[in-house]
């Protein structure tokens, strides 16, 4: 599989080729995903829930993300690796650059931050220092206590319009990728069309430029429950390589997600 870069991802959006992504936290799964067609892996602060057993992602530290990023990078030198910036690790431009540098040194190709227009200065500072940035809008897990729980975002017109404006602001600041989570499919389509950077959806319908799932959801072993927007590919595939291949195939063909996985 050829090496993926930010240029590759931009070209995929232009050519309307779907992008496949999964979370990964170690070398073995990173290699498995790379060998079976995944374009992007995210070293997500979701590890706070699926690996550490927390109720949310807030306790995860930059050093923990850096550790798992090193593990993932060891699994494949060619993977495109995005590393999450944890809760309160990017409150200002200087802090953002210092913490992002740790993740880039650990092997990340890009860092991901949650939030809208208020991140403009930090994203600008990061990109000026040569650090590619992925934005994250919608249900941003680090803001779970502000939202009052893990709830669908963007159902009200004012909130939807603000999210579109935030997506455009992130792009202007220099972000080269965007994740949108748990928003109505019509809004996801609108955002995808309104920005020039690739948009990766999770619980955001089929009209985004690509899809991402938490790997534990893909294989049906998440603690608690499997989200509505996910699908247990291991159950129908019988083994891990085929589960990943079938997920990739379904995303590329448009067979996943279906209407049963989206929000209106």
């Amino acid at each position: 599989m050829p090496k993926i870069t930010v240029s590759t991802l931009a070209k995929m959006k232009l050519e309307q080729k779907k992008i496949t992504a999964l979370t990964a936290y170690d070398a073995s799964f990173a290699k498995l995903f790379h060998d079976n067609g995944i374009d992007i892996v995210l070293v997500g602060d979701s590890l706070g829930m699926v690996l550490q057993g927390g109720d949310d992602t807030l306790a995860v530290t930059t050093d923990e993300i850096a550790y798992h990023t090193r593990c993932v990078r060891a699994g494949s030198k060619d993977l495109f690796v995005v590393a999450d910036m944890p809760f309160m690790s990017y409150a200002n431009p200087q802090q953002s650059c210092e913490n992002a540098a740790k993740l880039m040194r650990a092997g990340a190709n890009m860092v991901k931050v949650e939030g809208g227009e208020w991140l403009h200065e930090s994203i600008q500072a990061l990109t000026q220092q040569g650090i590619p940035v992925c934005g994250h809008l919608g249900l941003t897990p680090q803001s779970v206590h502000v939202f009052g729980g893990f709830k669908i975002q963007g159902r009200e017109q004012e909130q939807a319009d603000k999210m579109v404006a935030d997506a455009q602001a992130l792009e202007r600041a220099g972000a080269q990728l965007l994740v949108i989570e748990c928003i109505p499919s019509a809004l996801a389509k609108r955002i995808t069309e309104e920005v020039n950077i690739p948009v990766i959806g999770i619980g955001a319908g089929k009209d985004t430029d690509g899809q991402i799932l938490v790997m534990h959801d893909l294989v049906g072993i998440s603690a608690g429950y499997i989200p509505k927007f996910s699908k247990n590919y291991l159950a129908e595939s019988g083994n891990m390589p085929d589960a990943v291949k079938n997920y990739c195939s379904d995303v590329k063909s448009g067979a996943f997600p279906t209407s049963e996985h989206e929000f209106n």
Side-chain angles (χ1 to χ4, degrees):
M1 183 174 171
K3 189 170 185 175
I4 303 290
T5 67
V6 289
S7 297
T8 310
L9 299 173
K11 185 179 179 184
M12 290 176 76
K13 179 181 177 90
L14 284 173
E15 296 178 350
Q16 297 185 324
K17 294 179 178 178
K18 295 288 188 179
I19 298 165
T20 58
L22 286 172
T23 62
Y25 314 98
D26 64 32
S28 298
F29 279 104
K31 184 178 187 306
L32 174 74
F33 296 164
H34 178 261
D35 290 348
N36 289 282
I38 293 295
D39 298 315
I40 298 171
V41 295
L42 169 67
V43 182
D45 58 5
S46 50
L47 68 87
M49 300 174 74
V50 297
L51 297 188
Q52 298 174 343
D55 292 329
D56 53 43
T57 66
L58 305 189
V60 176
T61 67
T62 301
D63 286 343
E64 288 171 339
I65 294 288
Y67 168 80
H68 287 279
T69 299
R70 284 194 295 273
C71 293
V72 165
R73 176 54 69 204
S76 171
K77 61 181 176 56
D78 292 329
L79 264 175
F80 190 86
V81 178
V82 180
D84 261 339
M85 297 277 284
F87 177 65
M88 291 303 294
S89 67
Y90 49 98
N92 57 62
Q94 181 177 347
Q95 185 190 41
S96 299
C97 290
E98 290 172 353
N99 287 316
K102 293 181 182 179
L103 303 182
M104 297 296 285
R105 292 188 188 108
N109 299 107
M110 176 179 273
V111 299
K112 182 168 76 64
V113 293
E114 298 183 7
E117 189 173 6
W118 65 272
L119 284 167
H120 182 95
E121 288 186 8
S122 289
I123 293 175
Q124 200 168 51
L126 288 167
T127 55
Q128 285 173 347
Q129 296 298 324
I131 300 174
V133 178
C134 173
H136 186 160
L137 294 172
L139 173 53
T140 46
Q142 292 172 19
S143 301
V144 62
H145 294 304
V146 174
F147 296 150
F150 294 95
K151 298 179 179 180
I152 312 307
Q153 301 298 306
R155 280 183 160 153
E156 302 298 325
Q157 188 63 50
E158 183 177 351
Q159 189 184 35
D161 291 343
K162 176 67 165 58
M163 207 177 298
V164 173
D166 278 338
Q168 294 169 326
L170 293 175
E171 180 180 15
R172 285 195 302 272
Q176 292 174 285
L177 192 68
L178 177 64
V179 169
I180 51 176
E181 181 172 356
C182 289
I183 67 174
S185 54
L187 174 57
K189 183 176 188 292
R190 182 181 166 197
I191 291 172
T192 303
E193 293 172 348
E194 290 283 349
V195 297
N196 296 309
I197 58 176
V199 177
I200 311 297
I202 176 167
K206 64 182 176 59
D207 293 313
T208 54
D209 298 308
Q211 299 291 328
I212 185 167
L213 290 177
V214 173
M215 57 167 280
H216 293 67
D217 294 340
L218 181 89
V219 298
I221 60 170
S222 289
Y225 77 105
I226 303 298
K228 167 188 169 72
F229 54 75
S230 190
K231 180 179 177 180
N232 183 346
Y233 274 89
L234 182 59
E236 67 178 33
S237 303
N239 62 75
M240 283 294 301
D242 284 345
V244 177
K245 286 177 186 173
N246 290 342
Y247 165 67
C248 288
S249 177
D250 282 358
V251 171
K252 298 286 187 185
S253 70
F256 177 83
T258 66
S259 58
E260 68 182 274
H261 302 113
E262 65 183 29
F263 302 103
N264 299 313

